[in-house]
Amino acid sequence: MVTSRVECAPSPAFWQPRRVLVTGGAGFLGSHIVQILDGLGCQDVFVPRRSEYDLASLEDVRRCYEDSRPDIVIHLAAVVGGIGANRTYPGRFFYDNLLMGVQMIEEGRARGVKKFVQLGTVCSYPQHTPVPFREEELWKGYPEETNAPYGIAKKALLVQLQAYRTQYGLNGIYLLPVNLYGPRDSFDPERSHVIPALIRKMVTALEKDLEEVTIWGTGKPSREFLHVEDCARAVVLAAERYDGQEPVNLGTGMEIRIDELARLISEKVGYRGKLVYDRTKPDGQPRRCVDTSRALALFGFRSHIPFEEGIADTISWYLRPDEPALASVPSTARSAG
């Protein structure tokens, strides 16, 4: 285990002989992780497609393991969305995320995988956690109401991994990323989080010469954002170097208020209209910003991409009409579909 505060880089020597199963590997974060593994020369990366494997079905989970025969599992597959989706589909978000994770962990344990990497969510933290969020605060209260079904389902998987480590010796690690953004994000209004939602709104307003843009909530809450490429590197580093049972935050340690974020995006897009805040809509958690010291100490991760540069990069990607919605899985990765 790395216990210094020195940054590290993934090791090709570690990854080249490995067989890795990446659920959600064709998605936003997953496609970037698969790209890194491909670049490291990983022996085999298996990406199960939703059309072929329903991970809420135990039969399909078992077939997925049989087809991939992994040494390491990186479980990213999730049903997720912004505040609106959380309010509309709380039952689905709880059930699907809990069931997928429970079954993936149980089957991995039964098949003797060497390591299981579970992605949690910053939404699991209690609503009024002191800033910066420290991992030891995770259980000291109830999550913000709109995030609770999703956040609690994900947090339950931490309990499962710790219990399985105690009883079965499963090497399972649990990572808590903050809100992600960057190229390949979803800009679907039904599913998008705040950054892609704001980019879409500002671009549309500019194209249609609208006088104002309406934004949910008061604009006062703060959020912390991590570029997807930084997060992908963090997950690969943790999978390689961290073997502990305690959860680990992944973030930048920088927070920004939603109204400041909206102004920044409007400036980058070139929209000069009025920003109007709909106070009848929920704000969600008041503040989010995490302590990132554990990730640096345990596996040498520190974010690299400056926020304004990352925002410009994301806008640029969104404006390319010929860019595919999601990057294709690298040629050396196996896919079921």
Side-chain angles (χ1 to χ4, degrees), residues 262-323:
R263 286 195 295 271
L264 173 63
I265 291 175
S266 67
E267 290 170 7
K268 295 291 185 184
V269 168
Y271 176 68
R272 298 292 180 259
K274 185 178 180 181
L275 305 182
V276 178
Y277 292 87
D278 182 355
R279 295 172 180 269
T280 68
K281 301 297 185 183
D283 274 335
Q285 196 161 17
R287 293 179 68 188
R288 282 189 198 155
C289 185
V290 302
D291 183 298
T292 61
S293 58
R294 188 177 285 185
L296 180 58
L298 294 176
F299 47 89
F301 169 72
R302 179 185 285 128
S303 63
H304 287 168
I305 299 174
F307 186 58
E308 288 199 24
E309 178 182 315
I311 290 293
D313 179 44
T314 307
I315 293 170
S316 176
W317 182 86
Y318 177 66
L319 292 173
R320 294 184 203 133
D322 57 340
E323 184 79 9

Side-chain angles (χ1 to χ4, degrees), residues 198-275:
L198 287 173
I199 290 173
R200 183 187 178 100
K201 283 187 174 185
M202 301 297 179
V203 170
T204 300
L206 182 65
E207 292 174 344
K208 296 184 176 181
D209 196 26
L210 301 180
E211 293 184 358
E212 62 183 42
V213 167
T214 301
I215 300 166
W216 273 33
T218 65
K220 305 307 179 187
S222 73
R223 293 293 180 264
E224 176 179 358
F225 298 97
L226 179 64
H227 195 280
V228 65
E229 292 176 13
D230 274 336
C231 187
R233 179 170 52 86
V235 172
V236 172
L237 278 172
E240 176 183 331
R241 294 174 173 270
Y242 179 52
D243 295 312
Q245 70 170 349
E246 297 304 321
V248 183
N249 291 330
L250 304 179
T252 64
M254 183 202 85
E255 64 182 316
I256 182 171
R257 282 185 13 168
I258 297 302
D259 53 2
E260 294 171 349
L261 173 66
R263 286 195 295 271
L264 173 63
I265 291 175
S266 67
E267 290 170 7
K268 295 291 185 184
V269 168
Y271 176 68
R272 298 292 180 259
K274 185 178 180 181
L275 305 182

Side-chain angles (χ1 to χ4, degrees), residues 72-110:
I72 296 174
V73 177
I74 301 176
H75 180 47
L76 310 173
V79 180
V80 65
I83 290 179
N86 275 306
R87 297 176 76 195
T88 304
Y89 308 110
R92 182 187 174 207
F93 280 18
F94 179 83
Y95 181 83
D96 283 357
N97 287 299
L98 182 63
L99 195 59
M100 285 192 294
V102 165
Q103 294 183 156
M104 285 296 300
I105 293 169
E106 166 61 13
E107 197 62 21
R109 187 277 308 171

Side-chain angles (χ1 to χ4, degrees), residues 68-227:
S68 58
R69 295 177 291 114
D71 305 307
I72 296 174
V73 177
I74 301 176
H75 180 47
L76 310 173
V79 180
V80 65
I83 290 179
N86 275 306
R87 297 176 76 195
T88 304
Y89 308 110
R92 182 187 174 207
F93 280 18
F94 179 83
Y95 181 83
D96 283 357
N97 287 299
L98 182 63
L99 195 59
M100 285 192 294
V102 165
Q103 294 183 156
M104 285 296 300
I105 293 169
E106 166 61 13
E107 197 62 21
R109 187 277 308 171
R111 292 174 182 270
V113 297
K114 293 183 174 66
K115 193 164 201 175
F116 195 101
V117 180
Q118 174 65 52
L119 267 286
T121 172
V122 72
C123 298
S124 295
Y125 274 101
Q127 181 172 7
H128 298 292
T129 305
V131 174
F133 296 4
R134 301 181 188 277
E135 292 89 347
E136 54 267 28
E137 302 287 332
L138 190 60
W139 295 100
K140 296 183 179 179
Y142 194 75
E144 188 276 326
E145 184 179 353
T146 58
N147 291 306
Y150 175 65
I152 290 174
K154 285 286 195 174
K155 192 155 58 169
L157 303 178
L158 169 61
V159 177
Q160 184 181 8
L161 285 175
Q162 291 175 335
Y164 277 37
R165 180 183 292 268
T166 298
Q167 183 171 351
Y168 305 117
L170 175 65
N171 184 7
I173 67 170
Y174 189 89
L175 306 174
L176 285 161
V178 298
N179 295 48
L180 303 183
Y181 74 102
R184 308 177 199 164
D185 203 348
S186 171
F187 288 80
D188 180 347
E190 294 295 318
R191 299 177 56 241
S192 61
H193 289 91
V194 61
I195 286 179
L198 287 173
I199 290 173
R200 183 187 178 100
K201 283 187 174 185
M202 301 297 179
V203 170
T204 300
L206 182 65
E207 292 174 344
K208 296 184 176 181
D209 196 26
L210 301 180
E211 293 184 358
E212 62 183 42
V213 167
T214 301
I215 300 166
W216 273 33
T218 65
K220 305 307 179 187
S222 73
R223 293 293 180 264
E224 176 179 358
F225 298 97
L226 179 64
H227 195 280

